[in-house]
Amino acid sequence: MKIAILTSGGDSAGMNAAVRSIVKCGILKGCEMWVVREGYEGLVRGNQEEAEGKRVNAESALEVERDLEVAEQTILKQTHTQPDKNLLHNLRFGDGDLLRDGTSEYVGGRTLKGRYIVRVGWDDVRGWFSEGGTLIGTARSKTFRTPEGREAAAFNLIREGIDALVVCGGDGSLTGADIFRSEWPEIIKKLHADKKITDAQVQAHMHLKLVGLVGSIDNDMSLTDLTIGAPTALQRICESIDNINSTAYSHSRAFVVEVMGRDCGWLALLAGIAGGADFIFIPERPPVTMPWEDNMCAEIHRHRELGKRKTIVIVAEGAHDKDLNPIRAEYIKDILSDRLGLDTRVTTLGHTQRGGRPCAWDRILPTLQGVEAVEALMEAQPGTPTYMIGVQENKITRVPLMEAVEMTRAVGNAMQKKDFKEALTLRGPEFAEMLHGFRAIASMAHSDTEKKPPKLRMRVGILHMGAPAGGMNGATKAAVRYCIKQGHTPLAIHNGFRGLLDDNIDELSWLGVDAWMVRGGSELGTNRTLPSIDIGAVASKFQEFRLDALLMIGGFEAFNALLLLDEGRKHYPAFHIPMVHLPATISNNVPMTEYSLGSDTSLNALVDACDAIKQSASASRDRVFVVETQGGKCGYIATMGALAVGASLVYTPENGMSLDMLREDVKFLKTRYSLDVPGKSEGRLVIKNEAASGVYTTSVLTKMLIEEGGALFDARSASLGHTLQGGTPSPLDRARGARLSLRCMAYLEHHHELLLKQPAHKTRNAGPESAAVITIQASSVTWVPVQEMVKHADMEKRRGKSSWWVPIANLVEQLAGKPQFLGVKAEDLPKGNLQI
Ligand code: ADP
């Protein structure tokens, strides 16, 4: 198959990662890969038949042939295996310089002047991960909106023999894609009738295979939780708001921050939660209480009365009131200045939000989606629908593209009709949950009547366990604010179970947790002490402090502690209260959950460090860096980090290390370096978990690589250690922390009510489901009773018995081309190996 990729509409961080992944996966599947520059405009313009373009292309082809011979000889010499010629051709096509020097005229031995549809090779996309925006260019094309434009586009594709297209863009671009595909048979007929294409071309191009990826910073597409670029945009916004927060606090000022989002309030909403805003304005949910100005001032006044020194209001650029009159930042500023006398400033974040360096998730998501896109194209039949690749919680999904586009459009239509309830429903349940979450965290109860009836109110103990992880404090803030709003009493248990035994408990206040979203580490203090140090004493403290419910936020220890408390129920009535564990650990080693708070922050820290290390390694041209990560006996951070930085090799405790493996890996690196264009070698990364092997330590591995690399490559090592805890928590960890924490509170309330229904004269008996862990499994949030959980845990290695991400280690090495450079032919690779 010949597959072309284009990026269209507004640029977003992560588009390059998508192109890279598709190019590499396509090549691994034996396809020929092309990119279309400048979006649909490039497709319409195509390749001009200019003599110059042809000459240079012919020359490049010759060069490639010469290179191929050298490459074949090298692989034969290094691996004693006959390489697959077709794969090798793809592998060696690019020279690694394509489009990287900021010009679109003449690049790396190939002229691009007048050429918009360009064949690319393996090395053309190397290093694309760390670049923001889209290197292949994007444009808004008026011509493609016309039938003539689309006819020209089809003709240009057919002329190059391309039979499949991947479009990465927003809803406009994907609508265009769907129209293009539906018109395709008609266009072919017309081109044939006009004698522009031959009978053979008609036969070969009866159908256009097409798949869509959503690249949009607004996260405005239905049927997918996240769009490519949205996490990075959110990160940029939160960085700005974090900075604004400190100046606002210093001067006791108010700031009105305008963020992008014409029709979609996702960025404003999530920034509102993660940035600790007082008030937000989003298009889907205009203020209901009128006049909204009074309502906003009353809320902010209440916060100020409590002693809050700063006020942050976030407004989406498309915000309006319920009559669709725009709500502008300047107007809000005037209201706050005039009515509340606040020194108020407006900050419009503008294009800085579009991105720059993609965050970890904007590298991982497009990479996995790219794999899925190529799979979808390989499987596409004339009758199958055009798919859009999405993601739901932690699962990469395929959804009918038109359905997603129509649903997205329906949100806009509902808003036009002022049916905001419908608009919110169409945005999906998670959006509504986040909105509900924002209100729970940001606004205070106006009166006692809004709270739970006194007999349902709980005294909730909150404690942190294990190593600190990003999002622990945010989750705690959400729980505390919710408690206060509902009339519960939030009790901070400082320094875990040790602190409990020392009576280190106090009640947290609404204002006291105000700045906690942005704080890394653990505000409560955390350690690994289990309740087994003195379970009887722990029970008596539960009783003494009259705990009605317990929320534990932490890693494997918290799970272990919950298990001990649950077992303790046999002897101690004080443990017959609802108790939950919210997983928070950078190792992500809690069984059954695919995601723990802190792992996103940690991956971002890893990506930042590795980008810098890779730059240094590349500057020396021939250096391999062995980067050691934390993670205990769980290789999650190493594996996902390797995927996010494009490492060549990854070592995990799950897969272990052996002499045979190392021999292969050295062979691979030698082959790879000897095939680099002389003087243009790339720095390469090897990611190794600290416990991957007791014998082949980082130091041994590095020395071995230095010894074996000889004149081809050099090696150095770096240990990331505790830096992986990541400092400031990522916005995704903050927002997810808040969301999961509120779910925990609802679960505790539910089970508390159930317990209250038991006859008072009997000893209360909390069932096993009231000691549970909140998990994310594939596409849903699921509660697992701790007794069930233990069946899936490897207690000795402190991790789950199975983990969804283990096959990703194979994917990392395939994307580095390891099997191909070792002479493994595509057909000999295990089937579906690229599938996750
Ligand atoms: P986004 O993809 O970010 O929503 P746009 O709405 O500007 O951005 O769309 C990008 C491009 O997609 C347009 O410039 C146009 O070339 C193409 N496109 C959008 N809508 C259509 C359509 N209805 N028919 C054909 N092409 C379209």
Side-chain angles (χ1 to χ4, degrees):
M1 215 194 299
K2 286 193 188 185
I3 305 175
I5 309 147
L6 64 84
T7 52
S8 168
D11 71 295
S12 66
M15 281 182 160
N16 291 323
V19 175
R20 170 189 179 273
S21 164
I22 293 161
V23 166
K24 290 199 161 197
C25 288
I27 291 174
L28 292 173
K29 294 273 179 191
C31 302
E32 198 176 293
M33 301 308 295
W34 295 67
V35 294
V36 181
R37 297 167 47 226
E38 323 298 352
Y40 289 125
E41 193 57 29
L43 210 54
V44 173
R45 291 191 191 169
N47 293 341
Q48 291 154 25
E49 297 269 3
E50 280 170 9
E52 194 197 6
K54 276 198 160 172
R55 187 172 55 78
V56 176
N57 247 15
E59 258 175 28
S60 322
L62 262 181
E63 263 173 39
V64 168
E65 285 306 322
R66 271 199 302 272
D67 271 2
L68 271 175
E69 264 171 48
V70 179
E72 196 175 340
Q73 291 308 318
T74 312
I75 291 196
L76 258 172
K77 198 170 125 217
Q78 302 276 2
T79 67
H80 310 292
T81 340
Q82 183 67 40
D84 180 308
K85 273 222 162 104
N86 181 39
L87 271 172
L88 201 57
H89 194 278
N90 274 294
L91 234 32
R92 287 297 301 129
F93 191 84
D95 49 21
D97 278 340
L98 185 75
L99 304 168
R100 292 228 43 202
D101 59 2
T103 128
S104 49
E105 295 294 289
Y106 180 83
V107 194
R110 280 170 285 173
T111 183
L112 293 179
K113 193 164 184 181
R115 297 185 64 78
Y116 289 91
I117 308 177
V118 187
R119 167 97 190 263
V120 286
W122 186 262
D123 280 342
D124 280 323
V125 290
R126 76 180 188 192
W128 279 31
F129 254 151
S130 48
E131 310 258 354
T134 166
L135 286 163
I136 61 174
T138 179
R140 296 214 150 86
S141 169
K142 284 211 177 83
T143 339
F144 190 75
R145 289 179 182 270
T146 64
E148 300 73 35
R150 293 193 288 274
E151 191 185 311
F155 175 67
N156 287 329
L157 281 178
I158 294 170
R159 199 166 59 162
E160 299 297 348
I162 292 164
D163 36 28
L165 187 64
V166 184
V167 175
C168 179
D171 63 336
S173 307
L174 297 185
T175 309
D178 200 69
I179 292 172
F180 192 40
R181 184 177 122 138
S182 61
E183 287 178 358
W184 186 266
E186 290 304 312
I187 300 180
I188 296 289
K189 260 192 223 155
K190 181 154 188 303
L191 286 173
H192 190 236
D194 293 351
K195 305 221 169 346
K196 286 189 179 159
I197 55 173
T198 63
D199 292 350
Q201 282 174 318
V202 172
Q203 281 310 313
H205 295 276
M206 288 294 259
H207 301 281
L208 174 69
K209 292 175 179 165
L210 197 140
V211 65
L213 292 184
V214 203
S216 158
I217 65 160
D218 293 341
N219 203 19
D220 53 355
M221 183 64 76
S222 297
L223 299 183
T224 182
D225 285 356
L226 274 180
T227 58
I228 297 169
T232 303
L234 181 63
Q235 182 113 9
R236 292 294 103 79
I237 291 171
C238 286
E239 280 162 11
S240 306
I241 293 179
D242 291 352
N243 295 340
I244 287 171
N245 259 320
S246 45
T247 174
Y249 182 88
S250 308
H251 294 267
S252 193
R253 270 188 190 139
F255 273 85
V256 184
V257 184
E258 188 191 288
V259 303
M260 280 188 172
R262 246 173 327 191
D263 301 315
C264 181
W266 187 85
L267 285 173
L269 173 57
L270 274 275
I273 296 174
D278 294 76
F279 216 84
I280 57 169
F281 292 94
I282 59 171
E284 293 88 344
R285 182 72 178 169
V288 259
T289 325
M290 293 300 264
W292 60 263
E293 292 88 340
D294 292 358
N295 191 29
M296 174 185 74
C297 287
E299 186 69 49
I300 289 171
H301 182 66
R302 274 198 296 275
H303 297 178
R304 288 273 169 175
E305 284 280 273
L306 268 185
K308 203 164 186 256
R309 281 179 62 82
K310 64 179 171 65
T311 302
I312 304 280
V313 175
I314 299 178
V315 47
E317 60 179 334
H320 44 230
D321 67 15
K322 62 188 176 57
D323 295 318
L324 300 181
N325 302 309
I327 296 180
R328 300 256 182 257
E330 283 294 334
Y331 178 67
I332 301 171
K333 179 197 126 184
D334 292 343
I335 297 284
L336 293 179
S337 307
D338 298 346
R339 298 212 196 159
L340 297 178
L342 294 174
D343 178 5
T344 312
R345 308 292 159 101
V346 170
T347 303
T348 304
L349 297 182
H351 281 80
T352 56
Q353 297 163 74
R354 281 230 167 260
R357 276 182 63 245
C359 66
W361 204 236
D362 269 330
R363 301 173 188 216
I364 293 170
L365 188 65
T367 302
L368 296 179
Q369 289 186 330
V371 174
E372 186 69 15
V374 174
E375 285 289 338
L377 287 179
M378 305 299 287
E379 289 166 18
Q381 296 296 328
T384 45
T386 313
Y387 286 117
M388 178 190 97
I389 310 298
V391 62
Q392 212 181 336
E393 296 290 358
N394 205 36
K395 190 172 166 41
I396 306 293
T397 54
R398 276 182 212 181
V399 292
L401 185 138
M402 224 33 230
E403 210 175 290
V405 169
E406 272 163 16
M407 227 169 132
T408 309
R409 290 275 143 91
V411 183
N413 293 340
M415 284 196 283
Q416 281 310 312
K417 283 192 247 146
K418 303 183 191 171
D419 187 349
F420 300 109
K421 205 166 159 218
E422 174 73 1
L424 209 54
T425 313
L426 286 167
R427 276 273 179 253
E430 193 185 330
F431 193 92
E433 193 181 347
M434 284 292 189
L435 186 58
H436 170 74
F438 174 76
R439 290 213 203 95
I441 300 169
S443 74
M444 302 168 71
H446 299 199
S447 68
D448 219 41
T449 52
E450 280 182 37
K451 298 180 177 172
K452 291 254 174 211
K455 74 176 175 54
L456 293 183
R457 295 181 189 171
M458 307 182 288
R459 289 169 61 79
V460 185
I462 305 170
L463 67 75
H464 294 174
M465 276 206 85
M472 273 181 159
N473 297 324
T476 309
K477 170 179 174 173
V480 169
R481 290 267 171 105
Y482 180 83
C483 278
I484 294 170
K485 196 163 186 179
Q486 300 295 323
H488 306 308
T489 308
L491 295 163
I493 304 174
H494 299 275
N495 305 333
F497 285 96
R498 239 188 281 144
L500 176 72
L501 296 183
D502 293 340
D503 294 341
N504 202 345
I505 288 197
D506 57 26
E507 190 176 333
L508 288 168
S509 69
W510 197 91
L511 196 59
V513 293
D514 197 47
W516 283 24
M517 272 291 167
V518 284
R519 293 206 186 142
S522 157
E523 287 293 311
L524 298 185
T526 181
N527 54 57
R528 296 182 196 275
T529 307
L530 291 169
S532 49
I533 53 163
D534 192 343
I535 190 95
V538 169
S540 82
K541 291 294 170 193
F542 270 45
Q543 212 161 3
E544 183 185 332
F545 292 105
R546 293 179 286 115
L547 296 187
D548 298 308
L550 180 71
L551 167 64
M552 285 193 286
I553 304 170
F556 199 88
E557 279 73 25
F559 152 67
N560 212 343
L562 185 60
L563 190 64
L564 292 166
L565 295 176
D566 183 51
E567 283 166 0
R569 281 177 170 174
K570 284 184 212 125
H571 308 289
Y572 304 102
F575 297 144
H576 281 269
I577 57 171
M579 300 182 280
V580 295
H581 167 208
L582 167 51
T585 158
I586 69 161
S587 311
N588 203 10
N589 60 342
V590 177
M592 295 185 82
T593 188
E594 294 175 8
Y595 167 84
S596 308
L597 290 186
S599 50
D600 185 58
T601 303
S602 185
L603 284 173
N604 279 330
L606 186 141
V607 160
D608 286 349
C610 285
D611 275 359
I613 290 172
K614 196 162 184 178
Q615 209 171 55
S616 151
S618 289
S620 335
R621 294 285 180 255
D622 57 357
R623 188 161 281 177
V624 177
F625 251 96
V626 182
V627 178
E628 186 184 284
T629 70
Q630 285 190 332
K633 288 217 163 33
C634 178
Y636 173 83
I637 283 289
T639 308
M640 297 311 276
L643 189 69
V645 298
S648 300
L649 296 166
V650 55
Y651 297 106
T652 62
E654 287 84 356
N655 291 336
M657 289 169 82
S658 70
L659 208 49
D660 283 346
M661 193 189 251
L662 293 174
R663 193 175 292 132
E664 281 237 307
D665 292 347
V666 165
K667 213 194 273 182
F668 158 56
L669 286 175
K670 277 182 167 175
T671 316
R672 180 63 262 213
Y673 273 94
S674 50
L675 287 175
D676 279 339
V677 177
K680 281 190 180 173
S681 274
E682 189 193 15
R684 296 197 162 88
L685 294 174
V686 172
I687 309 270
K688 182 182 161 299
N689 164 290
E690 58 187 357
S693 162
V695 177
Y696 307 111
T697 59
T698 302
S699 147
V700 169
L701 180 65
T702 313
K703 282 184 196 150
M704 193 189 74
L705 291 177
I706 294 174
E707 179 69 16
E708 295 294 326
L712 280 172
F713 59 87
D714 187 13
R716 292 283 187 279
S717 66
S719 175
L720 300 183
H722 287 78
T723 58
L724 284 183
Q725 283 173 7
T728 309
S730 76
L732 286 184
D733 271 335
R734 299 184 208 175
R736 270 200 176 147
R739 177 173 157 235
L740 295 176
S741 175
L742 293 175
R743 288 249 189 150
C744 288
M745 292 311 302
Y747 197 80
L748 292 174
E749 282 176 340
H750 172 69
H751 284 277
H752 179 63
E753 274 187 48
L754 286 183
L755 270 180
L756 288 181
K757 285 187 186 139
Q758 291 185 7
H761 60 276
K762 281 195 177 169
T763 317
R764 289 213 170 104
N765 187 13
E769 65 290 342
S770 68
V773 185
I774 189 166
T775 65
I776 290 183
Q777 295 181 31
S779 55
S780 55
V781 176
T782 312
W783 283 99
V784 186
V786 70
Q787 287 177 18
E788 174 65 27
M789 191 93 150
V790 78
K791 294 181 201 151
H792 299 267
D794 183 334
M795 298 304 278
E796 191 200 330
K797 294 195 170 120
R798 300 173 69 251
R799 63 181 191 218
K801 280 184 183 155
S802 64
S803 304
W804 64 276
W805 43 263
V806 170
I808 300 251
N810 280 344
L811 178 62
V812 168
E813 296 189 351
Q814 289 193 34
L815 289 175
K818 182 173 137 183
Q820 282 66 36
F821 284 98
L822 289 175
V824 180
K825 295 177 186 173
E827 57 267 30
D828 293 338
L829 282 174
K831 264 218 158 340
N833 211 25
L834 279 179
Q835 199 105 34
I836 32 130

